[in-house]
Amino acid sequence: MRRGLIIVAIIIGAVLLFIGYLNSTYNSAVSLDEASKARWADVGAAYQRRADLIPNLVNTVKGAAANEKDILSSVTALRSGITQAKTPQDFDMIGKKINAAINLTIEAYPQIRSTENFQTFQTQLEGTENRINVAREDYNQSVNVYNTYIRGFITHAVLGIAGGNFELKKGFEAAAGTEKAPEVKFN
Amino acid sequence: MRKQSFKTILSILFLFSFSLLQAGDDNIPNQPLPPRLVNDFSGILSAADASTLETKLANFNRQTSNQIAIVMVNDLGDDEISKYSFKLGRKWGIGQEKLRNGILLVIKPKTATSRGQAFIATGKGLEGAIPDATCHEIVNNELIPHFKQNDYYGGLNAATDVLMSLAKGEYDYNTYANKNGFDSTFLFILIPMIILFLILRRRNRFRNGYTMGSSGWFIFPFLGGGWGNDSSGGSSGGSDFGGFGGGDFGGGGAGGSW
């Protein structure tokens, strides 16, 4: 009688422990997932910053050029592209487009190079590039932690039981593997 | 029990990912012990000049919680100076963790065979107070003209003066204390613990005379964790620098070469 009670208690205890383990594994996976989503948003913010340089650049030269409208509407398109970006490749593509738009702007306003603000603009351009690089690396790192976690031998099985949608994420690839973005030309 | 071992696994995993991170940091020097704000690995500054700068920056840190660090190195490894600066700033944790108000000046002195390079990296919390364009101006107007004359101390002294006046407007010690002050949830945990601690102590006194039960000691690590990083904010005179606060860098700053 007493023995039976002990066995039942042990079973209940084991089940509770298992549920606790499931719960904490699941929660860890969720928090790592969320962390990498936040880093992803940082990447978007960095690209946004770069795209926003274009209107700034246009503002430094007040004289309206024929294609000013085209340039600014391309910035609007870029902005929506940034918010809709789903994969690292999307951002690589957007980066190229932003640089192309910047080049277009400089070509459209040749007098831009002689303005005093142009130096500032170059510095800002470098700054946004640095921020993009840092944000991309941070994202890669968070993806690395997340992927390592959900691929763990036991974790993987446990997450399968717990349900939920935990897929491997893809990080940004090194510049060597991808086509190089058109560089911004200053001269 | 199971949960505990799981936590160990998780922390091992985190340590592992951290060591992966470290693997890419081979070219970044470890921070010296005890920590210093002026770190001349190139050996160009005289001891007197370095300690004058150290005192100035340590005082500024004590008064405003902003941490301005100087690192002079002859070799940047394979990194560009900007990347080197962000990596070093993060590895050492320059600036306070919550305010992220660190500034790092990395100087690679000019040699017979290579150009001199300078970079000012701003922590995430100071990007607004000191925009990239301003860093660029400081490098070109304060650092490089002096550096060209081989006057490294003069350049660093002038640049840190400007940086200090800019950073001061953003954070003084009060904003730091307010932002960094323990949040009220901390009190909700602390007060019951003190009460519990007193009850346990009293009970133990009744039982074992004046010896304190070991169960009462668990409160101390808590105290250490709560006020640990305030050491840099203390008012102990002299130029002792309390250590870096865990600040973060996100790509802000600008540099130049000569």
Side-chain angles (χ1 to χ4, degrees):
Chain A
M1 197 43 211
R2 246 190 117 171
R3 215 168 152 195
L5 219 71
I6 290 172
I7 290 171
V8 169
I10 287 174
I11 290 171
I12 290 173
V15 167
L16 284 177
L17 276 177
F18 182 68
I19 290 171
Y21 176 60
L22 256 165
N23 180 44
S24 69
T25 307
Y26 187 85
N27 289 348
S28 303
V30 168
S31 69
L32 290 175
D33 187 25
E34 287 304 317
S36 86
K37 279 180 186 160
R39 298 291 84 75
W40 179 256
D42 290 347
V43 175
Y47 274 95
Q48 182 89 58
R49 196 184 164 107
R50 192 171 178 84
D52 287 348
L53 286 177
I54 299 165
N56 288 350
L57 186 59
V58 173
N59 277 340
T60 59
V61 279
K62 283 281 156 57
N67 45 1
E68 182 170 322
K69 261 196 182 150
D70 294 347
I71 291 169
L72 292 179
S73 71
S74 80
V75 174
T76 316
L78 285 169
R79 281 168 154 275
S80 67
I82 291 168
T83 43
Q84 280 158 19
K86 293 276 185 304
T87 63
Q89 285 84 352
D90 289 348
F91 272 127
D92 286 336
M93 185 63 87
I94 287 164
K96 278 183 211 166
K97 283 184 184 161
I98 294 175
N99 283 2
I102 291 170
N103 282 335
L104 197 73
T105 314
I106 298 173
E107 278 160 23
Y109 306 97
Q111 73 272 33
I112 237 168
R113 282 196 205 90
S114 56
T115 59
E116 215 174 285
N117 289 332
F118 195 62
Q119 181 97 62
T120 310
F121 172 72
Q122 275 177 284
T123 312
Q124 285 176 337
L125 201 62
E126 275 171 25
T128 56
E129 198 61 56
N130 288 336
R131 286 177 181 84
I132 287 173
N133 287 336
V134 170
R136 283 166 71 117
E137 276 171 28
D138 286 354
Y139 176 71
N140 278 356
Q141 216 178 314
S142 73
V143 162
N144 189 21
V145 173
Y146 168 83
N147 282 351
T148 314
Y149 184 71
I150 66 163
R151 279 174 65 190
F153 178 62
I154 295 172
T155 329
H156 188 70
V158 165
L159 285 175
I161 297 166
N165 193 18
F166 294 103
E167 283 169 2
L168 286 179
K169 291 174 191 277
K170 269 191 109 172
F172 289 97
E173 283 161 36
T178 56
E179 258 181 272
K180 263 209 131 188
E183 289 194 8
V184 172
K185 290 166 278 189
F186 286 121
N187 30 28
Chain B
M1 267 316 275
R2 195 79 189 269
K3 212 167 169 181
Q4 200 112 33
S5 66
F6 164 74
K7 273 190 179 156
T8 342
I9 291 170
L10 195 69
S11 59
I12 287 169
L13 196 116
F14 266 105
L15 278 176
F16 180 66
S17 66
F18 195 65
S19 69
L20 280 179
L21 195 159
Q22 298 291 66
D25 282 352
D26 285 344
N27 56 335
I28 308 293
N30 288 318
Q31 60 167 302
L33 281 170
R36 288 191 309 264
L37 287 162
V38 180
N39 299 275
D40 180 14
F41 298 114
S42 66
I44 281 183
L45 291 177
S46 73
D49 287 348
S51 91
T52 312
L53 283 171
E54 177 78 30
T55 309
K56 173 171 134 181
L57 297 179
N59 283 333
F60 185 63
N61 170 40
R62 244 195 313 282
Q63 284 156 14
T64 68
S65 85
N66 294 302
Q67 297 187 330
I68 302 178
I70 297 172
V71 172
M72 295 174 74
V73 281
N74 287 324
D75 183 17
L76 299 168
D78 293 331
D79 286 327
E80 281 177 34
I81 191 163
S82 53
K83 194 173 181 190
Y84 183 94
S85 307
F86 306 138
K87 276 161 77 174
L88 193 146
R90 283 184 159 184
K91 185 176 178 184
W92 291 16
I94 298 165
Q96 308 299 339
E97 190 179 352
K98 291 201 177 155
L99 299 179
R100 301 183 292 187
N101 54 349
I103 300 172
L104 171 63
L105 286 85
V106 174
I107 315 293
K108 196 210 82 69
K110 190 183 178 82
T111 63
T113 52
S114 66
R115 305 188 65 158
Q117 293 180 70
F119 194 88
I120 301 177
T122 47
K124 283 183 177 176
L126 285 171
E127 286 179 8
I130 311 169
D132 297 357
T134 311
C135 292
H136 188 251
E137 276 176 32
I138 296 171
V139 169
N140 284 318
N141 300 342
E142 312 292 341
L143 291 178
I144 292 179
H146 284 101
F147 289 178
K148 275 184 179 162
Q149 317 276 318
N150 237 356
D151 178 13
Y152 284 88
Y153 170 76
L156 291 169
N157 194 33
T160 48
D161 278 344
V162 178
L163 289 168
M164 279 161 66
S165 68
L166 290 170
K168 203 189 272 172
E170 192 75 0
Y171 300 114
D172 51 23
Y173 191 72
N174 287 333
T175 50
Y176 171 58
N178 287 340
K179 270 209 186 181
N180 202 44
F182 48 81
D183 43 344
S184 47
T185 49
F186 177 66
L187 281 180
F188 278 111
I189 301 167
L190 186 70
I191 291 169
M193 281 184 103
I194 290 173
I195 294 168
L196 199 71
F197 171 73
L198 291 173
I199 293 170
L200 283 171
R201 213 168 80 141
R202 183 168 279 190
R203 256 172 60 185
N204 283 332
R205 255 187 216 173
F206 282 127
R207 278 193 195 150
N208 324 325
Y210 282 93
T211 51
M212 201 185 282
S214 61
S215 51
W217 285 104
F218 70 101
I219 197 165
F220 286 106
F222 234 93
L223 290 175
W227 288 307
N229 64 1
D230 241 9
S231 55
S232 55
S235 56
S236 60
S239 68
D240 308 272
F241 164 59
F244 294 111
D248 194 12
F249 290 76
S257 60
W258 72 97

